[in-house]
Amino acid sequence: MANALVSVQIIPKGNHVIELVDEAIAVIHDSGVKYEVHPLETTMEGDLAELLQVIEKMNHRMIELGSPNVISQVKILFQPEGITLGTLTEKYR
């Protein structure tokens, strides 16, 4: 069961920022974790350690694609007894 929700906003420096953000989201997709894309951030659900590794991969991918640096704004909800994306949003759907 997932023990964390992690929202991340990747802000790569350089040209073609939208394309770089698309690549960052592709890293999340390829990781296999459950996620939702929102206008200003993407929220992932899973094991905290695994999600932090995904963020690390996202940052490395931005550098590989030519960004000289990356800002990652991260929000973490850690709940050892379990948490899902729906837990916090189901009443709004």
Side-chain angles (χ1 to χ4, degrees), residues 20-75:
L20 290 171
V21 171
D22 287 343
E23 286 292 325
I25 294 169
V27 170
I28 297 172
H29 179 78
D30 293 347
S31 76
V33 301
K34 186 173 182 180
Y35 69 99
E36 290 182 1
V37 176
H38 302 279
L40 300 176
E41 64 189 11
T42 298
T43 303
M44 302 179 287
E45 171 187 310
D47 176 73
L48 180 59
E50 180 183 9
L51 299 179
L52 293 173
Q53 288 177 348
V54 172
I55 293 170
E56 182 179 13
K57 288 178 185 176
M58 293 167 73
N59 279 270
H60 285 289
R61 183 69 178 138
M62 297 299 94
I63 301 303
E64 289 172 5
L65 294 172
S67 180
N69 61 51
V70 185
I71 296 171
S72 298
Q73 295 186 5
V74 179
K75 293 183 236 175

Side-chain angles (χ1 to χ4, degrees), residues 10-25:
I10 290 286
I11 307 168
K13 185 174 183 180
N15 298 323
H16 311 290
V17 171
I18 298 299
E19 291 88 353
L20 290 171
V21 171
D22 287 343
E23 286 292 325
I25 294 169

